[in-house]
Amino acid sequence: VTRAWCRICPNGTLTSLFSKGALVVKEKDVRKCTKCGVCKRTCPFENDHVFEEKENKIINHPNCIMCFNCIEKCPEKGCLKASFLGKTVFSSKFKDMPKKKN
């Protein structure tokens, strides 16, 4: 078992609530994804599951620590979202770059 400590660590137990079939779910609308790779580059664990997924709506993964960097940094509005008990908590939003002052 890789990362055996995660099986007994209280933090590992807490994050297991967010794994597949859990209370918090990460979702991806593959139609809105432009394959820009931001989700892959911003993941602190270099997890490419969000980026690679092309079919499944639910993108929870055992290596994900649910930091939600991928959702926060995603430039495509509504492409990624986090839901709690089926209710959307937050989703990716397109943010205009601030204009430079001359």
Side-chain angles (χ1 to χ4, degrees):
V1 174
T2 59
R3 289 193 252 171
W5 172 249
C6 292
R7 305 274 185 230
I8 57 175
C9 167
N11 191 38
T13 303
L14 181 62
T15 57
S16 71
L17 295 173
F18 303 112
S19 63
K20 209 171 222 178
L23 302 174
V24 176
V25 177
K26 284 193 325 184
E27 297 177 28
K28 176 180 180 180
D29 185 340
V30 294
R31 297 169 299 171
K32 294 180 180 179
C33 181
T34 59
K35 306 289 185 252
C36 66
V38 169
C39 55
K40 185 177 180 178
R41 290 190 304 273
T42 61
C43 180
F45 281 83
E46 299 175 357
N47 186 354
D48 63 354
H49 179 72
V50 174
F51 176 72
E52 296 291 330
E53 185 56 56
K54 294 175 178 65
E55 296 177 10
N56 295 323
K57 182 178 180 179
I58 296 175
I59 53 172
N60 288 9
H61 192 270
N63 292 339
C64 180
I65 60 168
M66 294 293 190
C67 66
F68 302 118
N69 281 347
C70 54
I71 297 173
E72 179 183 357
K73 304 293 183 188
C74 180
E76 301 303 324
K77 185 175 182 176
C79 180
L80 298 176
K81 70 178 182 177
S83 302
F84 179 74
L85 294 174
K87 304 281 185 185
T88 300
V89 178
F90 64 96
S91 65
S92 57
K93 295 182 171 89
F94 177 77
K95 297 175 189 155
D96 287 328
M97 297 299 290
K99 294 182 181 184
K100 293 181 181 180
K101 294 181 181 179
N102 292 340

